[in-house]
């Protein structure tokens, strides 16, 4: 899932991330046209292939938020959508004759786009991440990082990390879920050096030293999206698709989904037989606290 205020290039970056028009799967749109504005939560299925390995992917493009006069509780539609996917999975799980492989529409990762102001995070950003970090894996991303100098980018990254820590906002990978010393060492480096990833997205290709590269053309040269000297896009892509893909899914299942599941089954405990979860016929569930996920 991608989330953030309007105009930060969420759709463009998602397309760049998977080298495909995954966030706008419409026959009427091609990569030379301007990407239309996202006006609703839209889930798009896609299959990407790398090295002969296929992966089914669902990209959830969301409208920019914070544009309204009254932005009170503007995170609620996103939180509701995420919980609805947990509810779907739970409904399938409690069926007596359940499928061998339950369709998984749960949101495993939310890329949260931060405006490259160089100043503090907006109160709205902090409030949004505070609520959403309890139900989904949040990965903060500084959008359009080419608008800042290297010094400004470094200082802004430190400021964002500090503000998230002060406000008690946990982003992925969360410290308490590191399983061993090797994981802790690797993730500490990511948390202290890479987060939030400062990225640049682009749908356009340019010729650089005889090679076709994705980039953004400026009066002083081409900003290469996949060049680590220019931005951290390649680090983000490897982090999400390669090194931490399975762990993102496991944290979602073992922590966020289990927390939701325990609460729902516990809340359902006082109901008489026949009035189970979402109309499913269930035996009475004792009204005892469910164990929370470790």
């Amino acid at each position: 899932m991608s989330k953030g205020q309007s105009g930060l290039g969420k759709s463009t970056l998602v397309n760049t991330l998977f080298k495909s028009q995954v966030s706008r799967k419409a026959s009427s749109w091609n990569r030379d046209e301007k990407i239309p504005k996202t006006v609703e939560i839209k889930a798009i299925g896609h299959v990407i292939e790398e090295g002969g390995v296929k992966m089914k992917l669902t990209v959830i493009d969301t409208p920019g938020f914070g544009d309204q006069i009254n932005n009170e509780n503007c995170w609620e539609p996103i939180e509701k959508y995420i919980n609805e996917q947990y509810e779907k999975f739970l409904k399938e799980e409690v069926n007596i004759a359940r499928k061998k492989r339950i369709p998984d529409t749960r949101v495993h990762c939310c890329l949260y786009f931060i405006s490259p102001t160089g100043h503090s995070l907006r109160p709205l950003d902090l409030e949004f991440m505070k609520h959403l970090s309890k139900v989904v894996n949040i990965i903060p991303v500084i959008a359009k990082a080419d608008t800042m100098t290297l010094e400004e980018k470094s200082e802004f990254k430190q400021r964002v990390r500090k503000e998230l820590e002060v406000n008690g906002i946990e982003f992925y990978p969360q410290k308490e879920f590191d399983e061993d010393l090797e994981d802790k060492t690797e993730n500490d480096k990511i948390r202290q050096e890479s987060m939030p990833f400062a990225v640049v997205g682009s749908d356009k290709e340019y010729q650089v030293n005889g090679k076709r590269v994705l980039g953004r053309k400026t009066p002083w040269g081409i900003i290469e999206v996949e060049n680590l000297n220019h931005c951290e896009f390649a680090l983000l892509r490897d982090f999400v698709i390669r090194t931490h893909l399975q762990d993102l899914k496991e944290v979602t299942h073992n922590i966020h989904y289990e927390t939701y599941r325990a609460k729902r089954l516990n809340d359902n405990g006082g109901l008489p037989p026949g009035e189970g979860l979402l109309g499913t016929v269930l035996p009475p569930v004792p009204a005892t606290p469910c164990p929370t996920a470790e």
Side-chain angles (χ1 to χ4, degrees), residues 229-243:
N229 293 320
H230 293 189
C231 78
E232 295 166 348
F233 168 82
L235 289 178
L236 172 66
R237 182 188 58 206
D238 287 351
F239 182 71
V240 173
I241 301 176
R242 295 178 183 140
T243 61

Side-chain angles (χ1 to χ4, degrees), residues 15 18-26 29-31 35 44 46 203:
N15 286 340
F18 302 107
K19 292 189 177 179
S20 182
Q21 308 303 328
V22 291
S23 73
R24 287 293 182 281
K25 206 174 182 183
W29 183 76
N30 65 64
R31 71 188 298 150
I35 294 180
I44 301 159
H46 196 79
D203 286 307

Side-chain angles (χ1 to χ4, degrees), residues 4-6 64-69 71 74 122 124:
Q5 72 182 90
S6 297
F65 78 102
D67 304 334
Q68 295 78 21
I69 294 172
N71 293 303
C74 63
R122 300 182 304 164
L124 198 55

